[in-house]
Each structure stands twice: as structure tokens, then as C-alpha cells.
């Protein structure tokens, strides 16, 4: 036995390891977003341009005023939010499922990082993508209309909480998914309809009572309205309730994701 | 919320246990060894019993071979230690850190080179190794320096900025070795690192592994190239059907094989095998003769006898590598020639681990 092997190993400072590990996951996710920017950033920008051109400029002219604002101004926060939701979710589901599929998730699983750090890292990656795309769509909006800022901090909080919630939801989707169909299924059949019915294009006050009541169980309605409130100062729902809902959703989803990871669901034999 | 709490609780216990492994006045093997595995079992969800109660001790600083036929359970065992596979029952410790209670501390000690390629094919080798260091808490600046060091040592520096999919099979394996070394682990586990690697690079990998072992890193190696295990490793365990069937020092194990078979290449053709008193001979073809020689007998004697018969030997080689011979016999449950029948019976059951100290190093 040689002396080197016997020597005391330096103590492992777990909190330092976790912090550096967390940053590394975020940096890696950011690198992925930038590396494949044609798939991560561009599509939402193109979609936003189309929406503004067709719904905003062509149809919007006939709609006139919505919720007390010019139609383009009214839909701008909704369109930004829509791209934030799709992209936060899409980033995590694609990246984490890709890591499972390509087996490089093992790089993280064998590392000393606890599962909550891994979940937090991926979720933050999703937020980064949501915010980047949100900014890009905001720039597009500014080309078509002017944005009034009612309360910047609220805008930002709503943006982060929404993208965090959907990033975590995307993580759960990726954990359970066994193939690429299951990665595409929820965005297509759950997320898109909920977003369209979530008051992106209209104020729910236009709806008949039953449809309004139904809309209130749609979580996206609260997110879109909280965000719109930050810009326009108008909302179909109680903004306090909306923020409480978003925060609770993020906390619950985080706990569930960490719990499933600890059990090994979808990642460990 | 409980799992969340558990994750916190488990990791916080890891903090103060760093000194535990080294402070014990009576060093229990279970605490002191690089790896300590007790009663480990694994039944996969499809009902396959991959491990049926594995006990294994690997000393600090050892260069250890874990051998076994395909499907023996090697990768499963390694998977449990590195937490890629959930165990069914049993315990495992890495440098005294229990994988149930101090998982983070245990994992921080291990570097793993997996059997199957598991890096992101779309990332560059440089990104892969630098990020891996980050997952082990190595600051980015240090990680960049180490990336240069290890990518150069594994002859991948020129390839560092291309996408990894473009690497050859052997380069991909070397990349995984570089990746495993980035946090300079105390225990390096290599699951068939040399599969598909050419001879020249394999030999340079051997030198490289010997060197890091000499500097104090404990190494556990699985391989199907028994010559490789024989050359590199000081201690050995053979696993078969989910059980350890042999655990010994390499020299002591090889020493148990008392018979060697030599293959002689003859100048003249022979019709029948020559009769050599006291030796078992067999004519393979008219120019090739096999002779079994027990350890006590000298080879000179054979040459003397053959010369007397006017038979000229052009060249000679061992029929099989010695470890290969022992391995085959153990795995097939046959006797090792020269050993008592009692030894053979124990080959089927888990062998009592012998202390590695037996072996002269
Ligand atoms: N994910 C899995 N699900 C079900 N059975 C598995 C799984 N992985 C391995 N097994 C089974 O467990 C047994 C042990 O496999 P393992 O991969 O540990 O063997 P090994 O010793 O590493 O073999 P090899 O030398 O071929 O790599 C085999 O019977 C195998 O079929
Ligand atoms: Mg294997």
C-alpha cells in the first residue's frame, strides 16, 4: 500500500460542489440553446411575426378595441407568454429526454449532485430559454405596436414564474416519456389548446358565463393575465391569486420531480 | 415533500462524515477499504436475478480485476455502486461512505468509464470533459487546465473542438477515460475500457493506468482480455451468474495452476506422438506437438528427451494464457489441475475473500 492512497482526502465541500454543478448544468443548457438556435429561438420569432401580421394587423383592425386597448397591444403580452410557455416546456422536455435517450443523463446521475440540483439546473435552463425567446418576441411586438409598461417587476416575476412552472412540467414529461411520441403528445394536445383558451387572443369577459367559469380552471389564463396586467394594468382575474397559483404550482412540481428522481422513475433500473 | 427532505438529509450527513473513514482507531475493513460490498442482490423488473448476494472488498490503492463471462453481473454491480441501478438488497461503501446514507460523498470519490458510450454526441470533447468536471464541483478554470492535461494524455487534444460523433470507436473510449479523470477520483472504475482499442493505444493506456495507480488511485477494471488483467492487476475476483466464485491475489491464483501446456513447432513431420516417459503429449498435426508440463518439472528435460529421439524443435509457445486457463476452469466448474477436489467444490459457492496481503507486490 503506498502512502498516497493512505493520505487523507480533502474534505468534500458539498455546497460548493452543488453550486458549481448547478451552474454547469445551466451553462450546458444555455450552450445547447445557442448551438441549435435555429430550433430554439427562431421558430417562435417567426410565429410571432405571423400572428402580429395576420391577427394583429389584418384581423385586428376589424376587432377594434379589446379590454380597453388596441387589439395588437392587447394580444402582445399574450403572444409573448405563449412563446414563453412553449419554449420553457419544450426546452426541458427535449433536452432531458434527449439526455435519457442518448444516455448522457448518466453523466449527471453518477456525479455527486443530488437530484434537487439536477432538477433545479434543468428548470433554470428552461427559464433561460423562456426568457430569451420572450425577449425576442417582445422585440417583434415592438415592431408592430408599442408596449405600455404598467409594472416592470410584475412583468418579470410573471415571466419567471410561468417559465419555471412549465419548465418543471416539461421535466416531468421527460421523466415519464418512453419515446419521442410521448414528448410531443402533451405540447400538442394539452398545452396548445390550454394556451389558446387561456385568453391570449381575447378577454374572457366576452365569453358566455359557462365558458368563463370553465376558463377559470385553466392555469394559463392566470399566467397570461398576470403578465398582461404588468403591461396594461388590466386583468380578467385577481392578480394576487394568479401569482399565488404560479408560485404554488412551481413548488409542487419541483417537489414531485425531485421525489420521482429519488425513486428512480424513468431514469434508473 | 418527503423525498425532497430525504435528499437534503442524506446529503447533509455527507458533510461531517468526510473524516469518519480516517479517524477510526480500529480500522474495520468495511470502513477503510476503497470498496466494500456486502450481500448485494439485484433482481431486474423483468425477473432476471443479476446479482445473487455479492460480497467484495477492494483495498485502497489496489489495481483490481473484476472478471466474468457475458451477463455475469459486472456492469450491474458497477451500476449499483455508481447509482445507475437501484439495488434490491445489500450494502455498499466507497471509502467508508455508505451509498444509502452518504451518497454524495461516495459518488464524489468515484470516476467511472462505462461499458457503453454515454456522452452527448453533439457536444465537443472539450465541452464534455469540462462540464463533467463541473458536475463534480471543479471550478471552470481548473477544469480547463485539466481538460488540456487529460485530453493531451489520451491523445485527443487535436480533436477537442470537433463534434464527438466524429470520433472513432477507440477515441470515444479514450474520451470517456479523460472524462472520468477530470475530478481526479480516488477510485477509478473501468468497465471494458479497451474494447475496440488498437494494440498500440491499448498498451499506452496500460502504462497510463499503471501510472495513475502508482500515484494512489484505486482502480477496478473489467475486461474480457485476460492477458490485460494478468498484466495489470494485483488482485482479482471472478463473478459468474451473479455470484463471486473466486477472489484471490493474481500471483496466488496463477500459482494455483500447476500444469502448463506448451505447443512445440517441429522441423520434421511426425506420424505419431513420441513417447516421453512421465509427460502427457498429443500430436495436433504432423508438425505440432502439445506437451503438458507440471510446475515442478523442468522444460530442459523435455528438450533433452526430444533431442535424444532426434526431434528438432523450431519454436515453442504457451497453449493458452495461464489466467485464461484458470478462468475457463472456474467458470465451467472444472478442477484446476494440481489442486485438491475440495477446492473445486468451493468454486461453485461464493469464495471466502482472501486477504490481498497474501500476495507479494
Ligand atoms: N436493464 C436490464 N433489464 C433487465 N435485465 C438486465 C438489464 N441489464 C442487465 N440485465 C441482465 O442482468 C444480467 C447481468 O448483466 P450485466 O450487464 O451486469 O452483465 P456483465 O457481466 O456486465 O456482462 P458483459 O460482460 O456482457 O458486459 C444479464 O442476464 C442481463 O441480461
Ligand atoms: Mg458489462
Amino acid at each position: 500500500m503506498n502512502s498516497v492512497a493512505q493520505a487523507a482526502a480533502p474534505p468534500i465541500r458539498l455546497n460548493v460542489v452543488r453550486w458549481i454543478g448547478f451552474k454547469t448544468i445551466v451553462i450546458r443548457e444555455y450552450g445547447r440553446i445557442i448551438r441549435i438556435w435555429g430550433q430554439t429561438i427562431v421558430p417562435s420569432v417567426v410565429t410571432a411575426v405571423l400572428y402580429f401580421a395576420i391577427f394583429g394587423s389584418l384581423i385586428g383592425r376589424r376587432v377594434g378595441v379589446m379590454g380597453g386597448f388596441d387589439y395588437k397591444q392587447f394580444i402582445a403580452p399574450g403572444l409573448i407568454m405563449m412563446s414563453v410557455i412553449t419554449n420553457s416546456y419544450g426546452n426541458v422536455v427535449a433536452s432531458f429526454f434527449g439526455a435519457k435517450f442518448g444516455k448522457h443523463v448518466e453523466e449527471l446521475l453518477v456525479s455527486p449532485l443530488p437530484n434537487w440540483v439536477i432538477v433545479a439546473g434543468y428548470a433554470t435552463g428552461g427559464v433561460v430559454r423562456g426568457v430569451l425567446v420572450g425577449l425576442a418576441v417582445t422585440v417583434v411586438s415592438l415592431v408592430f405596436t408599442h408596449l405600455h409598461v404598467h409594472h416592470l417587476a410584475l412583468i418579470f416575476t410573471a415571466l419567471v414564474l410561468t417559465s419555471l412552472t412549465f419548465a418543471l412540467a416539461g421535466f416531468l414529461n421527460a421523466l415519464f416519456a418512453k419515446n419521442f411520441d410521448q414528448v410531443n403528445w402533451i405540447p400538442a394536445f394539452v398545452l396548445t389548446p390550454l394556451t389558446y383558451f387561456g385568453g391570449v387572443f381575447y378577454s374572457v369577459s366576452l365569453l358566455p358565463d359557462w365558458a368563463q367559469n370553465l376558463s377559470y380552471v385553466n392555469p394559463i389564463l392566470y399566467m397570461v393575465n398576470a403578465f398582461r396586467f404588468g403591461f396594461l394594468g388590466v386583468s380578467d382575474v385577481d392578480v394576487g391569486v394568479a401569482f399565488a397559483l404560479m408560485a404554488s404550482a412551481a413548488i409542487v412540481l419541483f417537489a414531485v420531480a425531485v421525489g420521482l428522481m429519488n425513486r428512480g422513475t424513468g431514469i434508473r433500473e | 415533500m418527503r423525498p425532497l427532505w430525504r435528499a437534503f438529509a442524506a446529503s447533509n450527513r455527507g458533510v461531517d462524515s468526510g473524516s469518519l473513514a480516517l479517524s477510526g482507531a480500529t480500522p474495520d475493513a468495511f470502513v477503510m477499504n476503497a470498496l466494500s460490498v456486502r450481500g448485494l442482490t439485484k433482481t431486474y423488473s423483468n425477473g432476471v436475478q443479476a446479482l445473487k448476494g455479492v460480497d467484495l472488498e477492494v483495498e485502497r490503492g489496489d489495481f483490481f480485476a473484476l472478471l466474468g463471462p457475458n451477463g455475469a453481473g459486472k456492469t450491474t454491480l458497477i451500476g449499483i455502486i455508481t447509482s445507475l441501478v437501484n439495488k434490491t438488497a445489500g450494502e455498499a461503501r466507497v471509502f467508508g461512505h455508505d451509498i444509502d446514507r452518504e451518497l454524495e460523498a461516495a459518488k464524489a470519490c468515484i470516476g467511472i468509464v462505462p461499458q457503453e458510450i454515454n456522452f452527448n454526441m453533439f457536444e465537443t470533447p472539450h465541452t464534455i470533459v469540462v462540464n463533467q468536471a463541473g458536475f463534480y464541483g471543479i471550478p471552470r478554470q481548473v477544469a480547463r487546465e485539466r481538460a488540456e492535461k487529460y485530453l493531451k494524455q489520451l491523445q485527443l487534444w487535436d480533436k477537442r473542438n470537433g463534434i464527438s460523433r466524429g470520433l472513432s470507436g477507440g477515441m470515444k473510449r479514450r474520451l470517456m477515460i479523460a472524462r472520468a479523470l477530470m475530478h481526479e477520483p480516488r477510485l477509478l472504475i473501468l468497465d471494458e475500457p479497451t474494447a475496440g482499442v488498437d494494440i498500440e493505444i491499448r498498451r499506452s493506456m496500460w502504462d497510463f493506468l499503471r501510472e495513475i495507480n502508482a500515484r494512489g488511485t484505486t482502480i477496478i477494471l473489467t475486461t474480457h482480455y485476460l492477458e490485460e488483467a494478468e498484466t495489470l492487476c494485483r488482485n482479482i475476483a471472478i463473478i459468474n451468474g451473479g455470484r463471486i466464485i473466486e477472489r484471490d491475489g493474481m500471483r496466488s491464483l496463477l500459482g494455483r495452476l500447476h500444469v502448463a501446456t506448451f505447443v512445440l513447432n517441429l522441423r520434421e513431420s511426425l506420424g505419431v506422438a513420441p513417447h516421453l516417459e512421465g509427460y502427457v503429449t498429443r500430436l495436433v498435426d504432423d508438425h505440432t506437438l502439445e506437451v503438458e508440463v507440471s510446475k515442478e518439472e523442468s522444460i530442459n528435460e523435455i528438450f533433452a528427451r526430444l533431442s535424444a529421439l532426434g526431434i528438432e524443435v523450431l519454436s515453442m509457445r504457451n497453449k493458452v494464457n495461464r489466467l485464461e486457463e484458470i478462468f475457463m476452469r472456474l467458470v465451467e466448474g472444472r478442477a484446476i489441475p494440481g489442486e485438491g477436489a475440495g477446492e473445486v467444490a468451493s468454486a461453485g459457492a461464493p469464495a471466502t475473500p482472501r486477504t490481498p496481503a497474501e500476495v507479494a507486490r
Side-chain angles (χ1 to χ4, degrees):
Chain A
M1 178 76 58
N2 65 53
S3 56
V4 189
Q6 291 285 38
I12 303 150
R13 289 170 306 160
L14 291 176
N15 284 326
V16 176
V17 172
R18 290 167 186 163
W19 173 238
I20 294 176
F22 170 78
K23 280 195 296 184
T24 308
I25 300 176
V26 177
I27 290 170
R28 184 167 84 166
E29 287 305 288
Y30 177 75
R32 179 181 167 277
I33 294 166
I34 300 302
R35 188 174 68 236
I36 52 171
W37 61 278
Q39 293 170 51
T40 51
I41 310 282
V42 175
S44 291
V45 171
V46 173
T47 312
V49 170
L50 292 174
Y51 275 119
F52 273 111
I54 293 165
F55 286 91
S57 301
L58 291 176
I59 299 174
R61 217 173 291 144
R62 294 174 177 235
V63 176
V65 173
M66 176 78 68
F69 287 88
D70 164 60
Y71 190 59
K72 274 192 286 189
Q73 256 188 327
F74 181 86
I75 62 167
L79 288 176
I80 297 170
M81 215 38 151
M82 188 161 88
S83 57
V84 168
I85 289 171
T86 345
N87 282 282
S88 318
Y89 191 95
N91 199 67
V92 182
V93 77
S95 178
F96 193 70
F97 182 75
K100 265 173 62 172
F101 190 78
K103 284 176 139 254
H104 50 273
V105 68
E106 292 180 3
E107 290 180 336
L108 284 165
L109 298 182
V110 302
S111 83
L113 299 180
N115 291 325
W116 61 267
V117 171
I118 299 175
V119 176
Y122 271 96
T124 308
V127 172
V128 168
R129 162 104 167 257
V131 170
L132 283 179
V133 173
L135 286 176
V137 175
T138 306
V139 171
V140 172
S141 314
L142 290 173
V143 173
F144 287 89
T145 179
H146 66 275
L147 286 172
H148 174 80
V149 175
H150 178 69
H151 203 307
L152 194 61
L154 282 189
I155 294 176
F156 196 72
T157 314
L159 175 68
V160 170
L161 279 179
T162 305
S163 53
L164 185 60
T165 303
F166 282 95
L168 288 163
F171 191 90
L172 288 180
N173 188 171
L175 266 186
F176 284 111
K178 296 207 163 49
N179 53 49
F180 281 102
D181 283 346
Q182 293 173 356
V183 166
N184 296 326
W185 196 85
I186 298 209
F189 296 107
V190 180
L191 229 45
T192 309
L194 282 183
T195 313
Y196 277 69
F197 286 117
V200 170
F201 298 106
Y202 55 83
S203 164
V204 286
S205 60
L206 298 181
L207 299 175
D209 279 354
W210 65 268
Q212 269 191 42
N213 290 336
L214 202 61
S215 295
Y216 287 125
V217 296
N218 179 356
I220 293 181
L221 179 76
Y222 294 84
M223 298 172 174
V224 168
N225 274 285
F227 192 62
R228 182 175 287 138
F229 182 82
F231 284 102
L232 307 178
V234 297
S235 169
D236 289 338
V237 299
D238 183 326
V239 178
V241 172
F243 278 102
L245 249 167
M246 288 190 275
S248 339
I251 291 169
V252 169
L253 289 173
F254 182 76
V256 172
V258 173
L260 289 170
M261 286 282 282
N262 285 353
R263 260 206 268 156
T265 305
I267 48 163
R268 235 175 266 141
E269 288 291 341
Chain B
M1 289 301 281
R2 193 174 143 267
L4 187 61
W5 161 245
R6 232 179 32 211
F8 274 93
S11 38
N12 288 336
R13 265 197 298 274
V15 181
D16 42 46
S17 56
S19 56
L20 177 83
L22 300 149
S23 61
T26 49
D28 173 15
F30 201 45
V31 175
M32 291 303 292
N33 281 345
L35 178 68
S36 195
V37 163
R38 294 203 178 159
L40 211 57
T41 66
K42 172 66 187 177
T43 307
Y44 281 106
S45 51
N46 61 1
V48 173
Q49 249 193 304
L51 298 179
K52 300 170 183 164
V54 167
D55 295 317
L56 192 64
E57 300 290 330
V58 177
E59 273 198 355
R60 293 180 182 212
D62 205 350
F63 203 137
F64 191 91
L66 178 65
L67 307 182
N70 286 143
K74 303 180 294 294
T75 301
T76 302
L77 176 59
I78 293 170
I80 291 172
I81 297 161
T82 53
S83 81
L84 291 176
V85 176
N86 281 336
K87 65 185 164 62
T88 304
E91 299 176 61
R93 287 183 181 225
V94 182
F95 291 98
H97 302 296
D98 190 305
I99 61 163
D100 289 322
R101 289 180 292 114
E102 307 164 34
L103 185 60
E104 287 180 71
K107 290 204 282 187
C109 302
I110 307 176
I112 168 84
V113 179
Q115 181 171 6
E116 284 171 37
I117 312 276
N118 72 344
F119 49 74
N120 187 342
M121 295 278 182
F122 297 101
E123 286 176 348
T124 68
H126 194 260
T127 310
I128 289 169
V129 295
V130 168
N131 282 342
Q132 189 68 13
F135 301 150
Y136 285 83
I138 309 294
R140 223 157 171 83
Q141 187 49 42
V142 181
R144 290 209 188 90
E145 287 158 18
R146 288 192 192 169
E148 178 167 357
K149 174 176 161 194
Y150 289 115
L151 288 177
K152 278 183 175 163
Q153 282 188 5
L154 286 147
Q155 294 146 55
L156 289 167
W157 186 242
D158 296 343
K159 303 275 180 187
R160 67 188 180 281
N161 291 325
I163 71 164
S164 309
R165 197 166 50 167
L167 298 176
S168 77
M171 291 174 190
K172 286 179 181 146
R173 297 222 156 261
R174 271 140 59 200
L175 174 56
M176 295 202 293
I177 297 181
R179 184 182 64 178
L181 293 170
M182 287 295 288
H183 64 290
E184 308 198 325
R186 301 165 72 195
L187 171 63
L188 180 64
I189 303 179
L190 303 126
D191 199 350
E192 296 187 34
T194 51
V197 173
D198 73 42
I199 296 179
E200 194 189 334
I201 299 210
R202 185 180 306 168
R203 291 198 188 256
S204 77
M205 266 165 62
W206 290 358
D207 291 339
F208 182 70
L209 293 177
R210 274 200 199 95
E211 192 189 311
I212 57 175
N213 176 246
R215 276 190 266 131
T217 308
T218 310
I219 299 182
I220 298 177
L221 172 77
T222 86
T223 179
H224 291 292
Y225 301 110
L226 299 188
E227 182 208 347
E228 176 168 288
E230 188 178 335
T231 326
L232 290 173
C233 301
R234 283 189 293 273
N235 287 291
I236 179 172
I238 296 177
I239 183 170
N240 190 22
R243 287 198 174 88
I244 304 283
I245 57 167
E246 187 55 66
R247 165 76 173 85
D248 204 347
M250 185 66 75
R251 286 203 205 166
S252 140
L253 181 67
L254 293 174
R256 279 155 60 192
L257 185 65
H258 286 252
V259 178
T261 306
F262 293 101
V263 181
L264 309 181
N265 219 339
L266 311 175
R267 181 179 291 282
E268 309 293 338
S269 80
L270 293 182
V272 288
H275 178 71
L276 302 181
E277 188 66 41
Y279 295 96
V280 181
T281 58
R282 198 166 72 84
L283 200 62
V284 180
D285 60 51
D286 55 359
H287 280 92
T288 314
L289 183 69
E290 277 183 14
V291 186
E292 265 187 28
V293 186
S294 86
K295 242 176 130 185
E296 292 77 38
E297 293 166 317
S298 100
I299 309 176
N300 286 11
E301 182 63 24
I302 297 173
F303 289 122
R305 302 250 191 107
L306 287 171
S307 296
L309 292 171
I311 299 171
E312 197 179 339
V313 179
L314 289 179
S315 65
M316 177 181 86
R317 62 179 172 86
N318 270 97
K319 185 178 180 191
V320 287
N321 166 287
R322 288 181 304 167
L323 184 55
E324 219 162 279
E325 178 75 38
I326 294 176
F327 179 85
M328 288 312 298
R329 286 176 185 272
L330 286 171
V331 166
E332 288 165 10
R334 289 185 284 142
I336 299 176
E339 288 202 327
E343 280 288 332
V344 187
S346 76
T352 3
R354 276 158 236 257
T355 51
E358 258 178 37
V359 205
R361 299 226 175 121

